[in-house]
Amino acid sequence: MNSSFATLSHGDVAHLVLNSMLDTCAIVCNVLLITAIVKSTPTILQNYAVLLLFIATMDCSAALMSLMSTAIIENIEGAIIYIHIGPCRLIHYNVCNAALVPEF
């Protein structure tokens, strides 16, 4: 087990696993929806398809950012601290902060 995950409580690990599963499912479903919209939209519904494509793309990117920047929020002496436990911490903490911004 990775030493950074050894300090996580059981609730934090459950949060990370559940969030990862839901975000992965959301990404897969939205990619399938985008594929269906692009490949099989009749010409009469092209205007509606653009709206659906935009919504599915935004939802897919939000799920990707959520998957990248899974965070634990702690309140320590009146200060709110974000502890990133997602995969973005392997790249750089600024990537985690940038990925967290669109979620708010």
Side-chain angles (χ1 to χ4, degrees):
M1 183 179 242
N2 191 345
S3 62
S4 63
F5 288 113
T7 60
L8 295 176
S9 70
H10 293 297
D12 293 338
V13 172
H15 169 76
L16 179 63
V17 169
L18 182 63
N19 194 34
S20 298
M21 288 183 349
L22 290 174
D23 287 334
T24 303
C25 183
I27 291 169
V28 169
C29 289
N30 279 302
V31 167
L32 291 174
L33 178 60
I34 289 169
T35 304
I37 291 169
V38 169
K39 293 206 178 271
S40 62
T41 300
T43 12
I44 197 162
L45 295 175
Q46 287 293 327
N47 291 336
Y48 182 62
V50 170
L51 180 63
L52 284 177
L53 189 61
F54 176 75
I55 291 170
T57 304
M58 290 297 107
D59 193 29
C60 190
S61 66
L64 179 65
M65 293 300 116
S66 176
L67 181 65
M68 288 284 296
S69 67
T70 303
I72 300 170
I73 302 172
E74 297 287 337
N75 184 358
I76 300 173
E77 297 178 11
I80 297 175
I81 308 293
Y82 291 92
I83 303 168
H84 297 283
I85 59 174
C88 67
R89 67 184 169 72
L90 301 173
I91 302 168
H92 197 267
Y93 70 91
N94 284 334
V95 175
C96 294
N97 291 335
L100 191 62
V101 169
E103 294 181 32
F104 291 112

